[in-house]
Amino acid sequence: MLSRLTVSDFRNHEDALIVPTHPFLVLTGENGAGKTNILEAVSLLTPGRGLRGAPLREMARQGGGGGFGVAAQVNEVTIGTGTLPSAPDRRAVRIGGTQSAATALAEHLSVLWLTPAMDRLFAESPGGRRRFLDRLTLALHPGHATHSARYEAAMRSRNALLAQAHAPDPAWLSALESQMEIHGEALGAARTETVAALTEVLAAESESPFARPLLALEGWAPNGSPLNQQLREGRRRDAAAGRALSGPHRVDLQVTHIATDQPAALCSTGEQKALLLSIILAHAALVAIRTGHPPVLLLDEVAAHLDPSRRLALFDRLSATGGQVWMTGTEAALFDGIDNATRLHVEAGRILPR
């Protein structure tokens, strides 16, 4: 859990200090006050670009010094990230006072989030679902971020070589394709294991007021031949397409609503949100079982569209995870069913006690 969060020159917050004293932390305030910005700050304490996926330079406060900082105390270790005014697009990470790679953050904290922007996750492009799956996988396999970064780097280099006007060096291409195979196999294995483990947890759950999902991986599959062989044989095709058409970057997470036997993409927005909640709750339980440390959950405006009985059911399920939960809402009354919570009010970038 985060025992302390400090934010400086981030979004609309000049400076902020939050010291959670309960498993639940509730942020309330008007739209635009800066509630989601706090959740985004927490999300940056893991590999990746956070819950909005925004460019780093957009995160620095307008009228500030040009950079930003986010730091937290996690299990007696201080972790932090941010940018300098001289390098607004370059992320710096420090763990225990030592400069580190962003991928190393996964060894200290796992964070999962649900935002209103994700309500149509199942109806949009596979890329969003893949990023969601990778966030689930990362909590169970901390090395997943490193494999993903190295796979993407090798793929970008290969695409650039294939785009050259003259014939690329075949030895260099082969080396890059071998790197893609090494890290691609690790990505595929971790994703497959995560989906299988989640499926077991979901199957073992008793009835709940939330939709029950069935998970599956679709899209690209090895089909018996090594990835580097597929890439080697597909060079001309990939050069014409301008991208690699084989590999784990083509995998898609498919979700089916078991009760209606409908793909999630064809379900209502409310059903899709319920499916997401089921996945996140099952994942939190799985991580707690596997690691002894449930993930930190960031739930943005999640209670606003639930009826009172489902809100209470959600709070009970969240409490049962044993993890820390950060929630936002415009009305304090939405969280009346939570007994033990640190309650804060956000107003124009300021954090005030309630």
Side-chain angles (χ1 to χ4, degrees), residues 167-345:
D169 181 352
W172 193 356
L173 275 175
S174 294
L176 291 170
E177 289 161 356
S178 293
Q179 286 296 303
M180 288 178 67
E181 180 181 42
I182 291 170
H183 299 295
E185 285 184 350
L187 289 178
R191 287 170 176 167
T192 299
E193 196 279 332
T194 297
V195 168
L198 271 173
T199 299
E200 281 190 30
V201 172
L202 288 164
E205 286 183 349
S206 58
E207 291 300 317
S208 79
F210 303 107
R212 188 184 295 275
L214 176 66
L215 311 182
L217 294 177
E218 295 185 358
W220 177 84
N223 294 325
S225 59
L227 177 57
N228 65 350
Q229 178 182 333
Q230 294 182 40
L231 293 169
R232 185 171 61 252
E233 295 173 351
R235 288 174 184 174
R236 182 173 297 180
R237 177 198 62 184
D238 292 352
R243 62 188 187 281
L245 298 178
S246 297
H249 63 286
R250 306 281 292 178
V251 166
D252 192 4
L253 174 66
Q254 291 297 310
V255 177
T256 301
H257 189 327
I258 292 178
T260 63
D261 196 28
Q262 284 286 324
L266 300 180
C267 294
S268 69
T269 301
E271 288 174 323
Q272 291 185 29
K273 190 159 199 168
L275 290 167
L276 273 172
L277 276 170
S278 290
I279 294 170
I280 287 173
L281 291 168
H283 177 265
L286 176 61
V287 174
I289 292 168
R290 288 278 190 90
T291 69
H293 301 288
V296 173
L297 300 181
L298 309 177
L299 305 179
D300 192 19
E301 302 286 354
V302 73
H305 303 293
L306 296 176
D307 58 53
S309 63
R310 282 187 170 82
R311 280 204 301 271
L312 291 176
L314 174 61
F315 298 154
D316 286 343
R317 289 287 302 276
L318 291 171
S319 180
T321 68
Q324 192 175 54
V325 184
W326 296 55
M327 306 180 78
T328 69
T330 55
E331 301 175 25
L334 291 171
F335 307 100
D336 284 347
I338 302 175
D339 294 328
N340 298 315
T342 300
R343 300 176 187 271
L344 301 171
H345 183 70

Side-chain angles (χ1 to χ4, degrees), residues 16-32:
L17 169 63
I18 296 178
V19 182
T21 55
H22 298 284
F24 283 90
L25 187 138
V26 175
L27 298 165
T28 56
E30 296 181 355
N31 292 328

Side-chain angles (χ1 to χ4, degrees), residues 43-44 46-50 53 56 59 91 102-103 105 113 135 138 145:
S43 73
L44 289 174
T46 60
R49 293 195 299 171
L56 290 170
M59 300 179 190
R91 182 181 183 185
T103 53
L105 291 168
W113 52 82
R135 179 64 51 187
L138 183 62

Side-chain angles (χ1 to χ4, degrees), residues 6-16 56-70 83 85:
T6 57
V7 172
S8 60
D9 279 336
F10 182 78
R11 297 289 189 182
N12 68 333
H13 294 274
E14 182 176 1
D15 60 75
L56 290 170
R57 65 170 56 237
E58 291 183 6
M59 300 179 190
R61 184 174 66 89
Q62 293 184 9
F68 72 87
V70 178
T83 62

Side-chain angles (χ1 to χ4, degrees), residues 27-190:
L27 298 165
T28 56
E30 296 181 355
N31 292 328
K35 305 184 299 297
T36 305
N37 294 342
I38 294 296
L39 299 192
E40 184 182 26
V42 176
S43 73
L44 289 174
L45 295 171
T46 60
R49 293 195 299 171
L51 60 80
R52 285 191 175 106
L56 290 170
R57 65 170 56 237
E58 291 183 6
M59 300 179 190
R61 184 174 66 89
Q62 293 184 9
F68 72 87
V70 178
Q73 191 79 10
V74 182
N75 298 327
E76 300 182 358
V77 177
T78 300
I79 63 176
T81 189
T83 62
L84 296 173
S86 58
D89 297 311
R90 183 177 179 182
R91 182 181 183 185
V93 171
R94 297 185 74 83
I95 299 176
T98 302
Q99 187 171 345
S100 304
T103 53
L105 291 168
E107 300 173 12
H108 297 271
L109 186 66
S110 99
V111 180
L112 194 63
W113 52 82
L114 182 59
T115 69
M118 295 170 63
D119 285 355
R120 300 294 294 173
L121 178 72
F122 301 123
E124 295 175 349
S125 68
R129 291 187 291 277
R130 205 160 39 244
R131 287 189 292 273
F132 176 67
L133 171 61
D134 284 339
R135 179 64 51 187
L136 300 174
T137 304
L138 183 62
L140 299 171
H141 303 272
H144 191 68
T146 299
H147 287 298
S148 180
R150 292 178 179 174
Y151 177 86
E152 293 286 341
M155 182 169 63
R156 285 195 299 271
S157 296
R158 178 179 180 270
N159 290 345
L161 276 181
L162 291 175
Q164 292 178 356
H166 57 276
D169 181 352
W172 193 356
L173 275 175
S174 294
L176 291 170
E177 289 161 356
S178 293
Q179 286 296 303
M180 288 178 67
E181 180 181 42
I182 291 170
H183 299 295
E185 285 184 350
L187 289 178

